[in-house]
Amino acid sequence: QVQLVESGGGLVQAGGSLRLSCAASGRTFSIYVMGWFRQAPGNERELVAAISRTGGSTYYADSVKGRFTVSRDNAKNTVYLQMNSLKPEDTAVYYCAARPAGGVTFVTDSSEYNYWGQGTQVTVSS
């Protein structure tokens, strides 16, 4: 069982930056592939970034490549999402999620992730 708690969301102007954090409970954090999803009103939940167990591999959605950076610190049981050059279309609730590593490393289907945080709101004003 893993419990995830996100923090770092807020209101920022277009072009600004935010850093999201996701703290995980438990001693087995390093066995999980971690993903950051977002969901805007009326839209499906989409994977924007993910990171492998060791941090050696990462995935980014095309819409955030070059602007967002995902990282993790297994000693602190924490995964981060650095978001730069934010755009109004980045406005959404952001969730971190975990799935045990195995098979294909990066899966975009949210149903494949076992554990979820409560979400943190990111609002980007124009």
Side-chain angles (χ1 to χ4, degrees), residues 66-86:
R67 301 189 297 121
F68 289 12
T69 302
V70 60
S71 61
R72 67 189 294 164
D73 185 338
N74 286 345
K76 295 182 178 180
N77 283 10
T78 303
V79 62
Y80 306 96
L81 185 66
Q82 178 67 45
M83 304 185 295
N84 298 329
S85 302
L86 283 161

Side-chain angles (χ1 to χ4, degrees), residues 9 11 41 48 57 64 67 72 76 87 90 99 101 115 120:
L11 173 65
V48 295
S57 297
V64 306
R67 301 189 297 121
R72 67 189 294 164
K76 295 182 178 180
K87 304 175 181 180
D90 294 318
R99 59 181 293 269
Y115 305 104
T120 185

